[in-house]
Amino acid sequence: LTPHNLTLASYPIQLPRGEDKSIHSIGACSQKGAQWIFPTFHPPSLDHHFEGNVFRKKPVFEQRWELALGIDGGGKTGHCPVDADPYLPWIHDSFPSNDGKYVEFIIGNKRRCNTDPKTFKVDLQNLEPQVALMQPIPVKRWKEGMTVDSSMQSLWQRENDNYHIPRKEKPILLDDGNFNPPRYLIATSLDDADEDGKYTRYICRFHSVVLATHKDNIEGESRLLKRAILGETLSNYPYNPEHANFRKRGSNPMVTPLEKGHDEQIWNNIHQIRCPVPEKINESEKDSLIGAIASGRTVLDGVPSIYVDLIPIRTPARIDKEGYGIPGVKSSPFKPNEEWGDSHVLPLVEACGRWSNI
């Protein structure tokens, strides 16, 4: 996903005043007037290949890679990669808060779209990670003196600076070699987690792009774009979806066995997460990134200059209603030591599937 193709997903349709709404009853995602912003659906022109986005008759699973990468390599771009990588959040909207302190994300639960287990069993199984994204986990940053299992050591450093997949073509974007990102571990208790990582699910990496000089032995000196990393933060939830589900009278676990029928708890349709904006670009107060975003100075002629990458932390969905870390719940069948272990080091951001350049 690049800034230039953030044009492929739907918002609710805006009908002209007085127009008959009944002609649009099959859903805004397949009708004229929709504004395509995030890649949540394929465009209506591909309905003949993928079926419509709503009222489907067969699972998406067999076509998930065509949706993500394009049809038959025929030059068509991909559209929705969530079925191919169900740990990617199904983002429907994002925007900065008025005070510039957060980037807010409105996220749908794609597992709630086609819910008949008789028809869509394979999709429902594939999309279980969509529920995991609604369940917070505790995370801590590695600090000097912490010990990890020796088998984890290879995860700590890149073998060399050229850690990208080899490319035949000349690169057009260089990574920031000056940024030394923190390393993260999944904590096994809330007390062991960092204060801002007690209830998280994503690493948020903020960056901009600058023009830089690049030298190599073949083409000599050239001018290329360089990604300037502005900082990383851990996401949080304005409210805990797992806690809300627990408090609903008569609710079931967020993931229920398909033999018992699919969970019809409509309140698990959608949720919200937020990425805290790094406080400063440097020590100078005038270079406050929060202030720049709040003032709107980071958007010039409709083009943003600050981007965020959203990196999901991947753990299986919890299948118990009591969840983990819910206030007031004295005991839960979930055992973090057994599920995560005490040395669960998260991979480098560059090695993770993620949304980029939002």
Side-chain angles (χ1 to χ4, degrees), residues 9-314:
S10 68
Y11 273 57
I13 192 170
Q14 301 295 318
L15 295 178
R17 184 173 297 178
E19 188 167 341
D20 181 6
K21 296 184 179 181
S22 64
I23 62 173
H24 301 280
S25 60
I26 69 168
C29 302
S30 299
Q31 294 298 320
K32 66 180 182 179
Q35 298 174 321
W36 299 87
I37 306 297
F38 282 102
T40 57
F41 290 111
H42 65 266
S45 59
L46 293 179
D47 281 358
H48 69 282
H49 186 83
F50 292 116
E51 287 194 47
N53 289 307
V54 292
F55 298 126
R56 297 186 58 83
K57 297 179 181 178
K58 61 182 181 180
V60 178
F61 186 76
E62 294 299 328
Q63 293 179 296
R64 66 192 186 282
W65 290 109
E66 286 186 314
L67 272 172
L69 302 176
I71 301 171
D72 300 328
K76 295 183 180 294
T77 57
H79 296 280
C80 182
V82 173
D83 291 277
D85 183 356
Y87 276 101
L88 290 178
W90 198 36
I91 302 173
H92 286 261
D93 200 359
S94 73
F95 48 89
S97 59
N98 286 339
D99 57 10
K101 292 182 178 180
Y102 301 98
V103 176
E104 311 275 3
F105 292 90
I106 308 300
I107 299 171
N109 174 4
K110 202 171 192 299
R111 195 172 185 263
R112 291 276 307 135
C113 283
N114 298 288
T115 60
D116 180 3
K118 295 180 181 179
T119 304
F120 300 104
K121 180 178 180 180
V122 64
D123 281 346
L124 293 171
Q125 292 172 331
N126 178 53
L127 291 171
E128 276 193 12
Q130 290 282 285
V131 179
L133 298 179
M134 303 172 72
Q135 300 173 332
I137 56 173
V139 168
K140 60 183 177 181
R141 295 167 180 84
W142 182 83
K143 298 179 178 66
E144 202 69 40
M146 286 184 180
T147 58
V148 294
D149 188 275
S150 58
S151 63
M152 301 290 181
Q153 295 301 321
S154 60
L155 294 174
W156 286 98
Q157 294 182 351
R158 307 180 181 105
E159 292 182 4
N160 52 60
D161 291 335
N162 187 24
Y163 55 86
H164 288 292
I165 297 173
R167 300 185 181 209
K168 293 182 180 179
E169 68 274 16
K170 179 181 177 181
I172 61 171
L173 182 65
L174 298 175
D175 265 327
D176 188 349
N178 297 320
F179 180 67
N180 185 24
R183 298 308 306 267
Y184 304 90
L185 298 87
I186 298 182
T188 53
S189 71
L190 295 178
D191 292 337
D192 191 35
D194 287 352
E195 190 61 35
D196 62 341
K198 293 184 183 297
Y199 295 93
T200 189
R201 179 51 77 169
Y202 301 90
I203 300 169
C204 310
R205 174 175 284 190
F206 289 80
H207 63 89
S208 187
V209 176
V210 297
L211 194 61
T213 300
H214 175 64
K215 295 182 179 180
D216 60 45
N217 296 329
I218 301 175
E219 298 191 20
E221 187 174 298
S222 58
R223 300 282 278 174
L224 296 174
L225 295 176
K226 182 177 182 179
R227 183 182 288 111
I229 308 298
L230 305 176
E232 287 182 359
T233 61
L234 293 171
S235 71
N236 59 58
Y237 297 84
Y239 68 93
N240 182 342
E242 195 171 38
H243 190 183
N245 182 75
F246 176 80
R247 289 183 59 88
K248 284 286 186 179
R249 183 179 300 173
S251 64
N252 296 314
M254 299 180 80
V255 176
T256 52
L258 295 181
E259 306 83 61
K260 297 182 180 180
H262 179 54
D263 170 22
E264 292 298 331
Q265 299 174 141
I266 195 169
W267 51 84
N268 290 331
N269 257 11
I270 199 163
H271 66 285
Q272 181 180 355
I273 65 109
R274 50 177 42 165
C275 285
V277 174
E279 290 191 9
K280 297 178 182 179
I281 298 175
N282 56 42
E283 293 304 314
S284 171
E285 191 63 36
K286 68 179 180 180
D287 287 330
S288 166
L289 185 56
I290 292 175
I293 290 176
S295 70
R297 298 196 309 271
T298 60
V299 179
L300 304 174
D301 297 326
V303 179
S305 59
I306 305 296
Y307 301 93
V308 60
D309 298 349
L310 200 59
I311 302 98
I313 299 171
R314 298 162 184 255

